Structures are given as C-alpha cells and as structure tokens.
Amino acid sequence: MSSSSTSTMPPPATSAGTPAAAVPSTPAPTRSAGLTGRQLAGQRIIYSYPGLTPPASLLRIIRAGEAAGVIFFGENIASTAQISSVIAQLRRAQAQSPIHLPLLMMTDQEGGLIRRLPGAPALSEKRIGQSDDPVTAATTAGTTAGRTLAAVGMNVNLAPVLDAYATPNNFIDQYQRSYSSDPGTVATLGRAFITAQQRTGVAATAKHFPGLGWATTTQDTDTGPVTLHESLARLRGTDELPYTAAVAAGVDLVMVSWAAYPALDPNRPAGLSPTVVGQELRGRIGFTGVTITDALEAGALAGYGGTGQRAIAAATAGMDLILCSARDVSQGEAATTALINARGSGQLDPANFIAAADRIADLRGRLQ
C-alpha cells in the first residue's frame, strides 16, 4: 500500500491570492481493497488436495474468494481430459467468487523425469544442455511446456530449475534437473526457456534461489534440514548468476530454497530469511515479481513449528505465495488462519501484507 506523502509543490492560490488549504494525499488504489481478512490472507495461499477429485471444502474456499490457486501432482492427474475437467470445475467455482481474477493453476513440468502432465517437454534440462543446439532446445522446451499446461487450463509452471550443479550425480544432477555445471550456460538456457514459455501465456518460476547446485546426493530439503557452506563470492558469482539473468528476462515468479546459507544468513533457511528474500533477491538482484515458497511441509522446516508458524515466518521474510502442498486442504486453511491472526496482531506489517497480495493480483490479472 502506498503511504501518504506531503507534496513538495506550493499550495494552489485562491482567487483572492491566499493559499488554499492543503488537501491531504490519499493512498494509491490497491487491488486488495475491500477484501475481508480471510479473503486477503487467502490471496497468498496455494492449495493442494489428494486424489483425482477436488474436495467440496476446496470448492467452498474458492467460491468464497479465499484461495490464490492450486498445485497439481501426479496423483491428481489420470489423463489430460480428466485434469482439464477438474480445472474447468475449479474455474467455475472461481467465477462465483468475489475475486474476479483467475486462479493460479500450477504444476512441475520441468521436462524429462520431472513431468506431472503427459507430453512435452520430453528432454530433461541436462539433455538440453548436452544437445547440439542447446538454446534452440531450451526455447522449444519452454514453448512446448507452456502449450502443454495451457491445453489443460494451467497457467503457472514451477520451472525452470536454475541450479548449476557443482558435482556430477549430486542432488540436482541425479535427476537431470540442471542444464549444466557452468552458471553462464544455465543462465543462457534458463533465459531461453523462460522467455519462450511466458510468450505462451504461462508464467515461469525460477527455482530454487539462491541455488541448490552445491547440495550433495542426500541433501534434500523435502526430507530434512540442509545447510550449504558456500562462500559469499561463490554464491553470488556462481549460484545466483542464472537468477540474475532470469530476473532481467522478466521471470514472473521465483521460488526460494529451504536450504540454509550461512554466508547470507547464519540463522534461518533462505525462504524464512528477510536477508535472503529482501536484501539479496529483491535488493541486490532487483526482483519485483512474485516470490513463492517451496513446500511448506518440507522436512527442512522441522524445527520451525507447525503450519501456521511456518506460514508466518515465510510471510515475515517477504515470501508472497505460501505453497501448501501436503495434499490436504486443511493445511491451507491453517496457514490462512495464521496469517489472519498475525496481520491482526501486528506481527505482520499491514502495508507489506497488502503489497504482497497486490503483486499476486497483478500476476493473476495478466494470466488466463
């Protein structure tokens, strides 16, 4: 929310030549104006559900205008026809809500081994990087990924991975999720993928900032805490380089890692760190788009309380979207309630809260 400011211009004169009384400035309009507390908090929550059929509770939440979007996993998808029907059902529910913006319908369609939907892109990032014409291959992957999602009604891809792997067969390389060990190559190919995909009308997500390329084979934030002891020079010169290129290319979203990086913040995982999110990603690199957490239920956050505490900590750090991906609608409801209470108590800054909701609304307004 824009704050009121005192004009530096002299007050206008009346016809008698005396200065008119100053007119107080008013805050700029916000896309979040008029929402209830629960609706406002819900604009920051991505829901998930089990199985092939969205539960009635999720449809009710969407109709009430209390959800930003839904993430889909393999267990939610039996075929393109089936998931297209589900998404049409969710869109009908959203059309009945007071929020006249499309839901963020997202999945992980990275290519190769990591594809939730049948179809393109067939090549993994590693195979793209090893191809005879990597830029063309990355461009084709971005275009076809966008078309695959758009064909079933999805509008956000949680891709590409922009982590430059440090050693062969490590965490990010073992599933062929990295273009290269060279950050310049990753930057070039990631930019090609992002640009091509976003031209199809599907938002891209650069992940996992500031980078998981140094993680060993067993260092998986889904299962437990991960600390990456890299120097600040390496983080900025290698790991963050592809993200700088992605931001310059206009990437719509950035997913922040749950790993801890002592060179940036010795006390918190990246996605819970105001230093990483506010100073590094937004300040140093200049990202102005939407930030999204990795899975809120991740094992890396075992020491940070339950769903509500994690959601508040992420929002405090500057994360816009909270990814509740445990395939349990109640997880999203718990995160929503926690954000409502934290905003009401002043634990979360009201202006920052609305700014986050407005960034998300701006993104939703550009998608279909």
Side-chain angles (χ1 to χ4, degrees), residues 235-322:
L235 274 168
R236 289 179 170 172
T238 299
D239 297 80
E240 293 182 13
L241 183 66
Y243 296 92
T244 302
V247 170
V251 70
D252 285 322
L253 301 98
V254 172
M255 177 180 284
V256 182
S257 163
W258 286 140
Y261 304 81
L264 291 171
D265 186 333
N267 300 314
R268 305 176 187 86
L272 302 183
S273 169
T275 301
V276 174
V277 180
Q279 296 180 29
E280 197 72 4
L281 178 58
R282 294 214 185 271
R284 195 182 76 83
I285 293 179
F287 181 58
T288 59
V290 172
T291 53
I292 182 170
T293 70
D294 206 339
L296 195 65
E297 67 278 5
L301 302 186
Y304 291 88
T307 294
Q309 290 166 295
R310 297 177 186 191
I312 293 168
T316 300
M319 300 304 300
D320 296 331
L321 285 169
I322 310 298

Side-chain angles (χ1 to χ4, degrees), residues 156-168:
V156 177
N157 192 7
L158 297 176
V161 173
L162 294 187
D163 305 328
Y165 69 90
T167 56

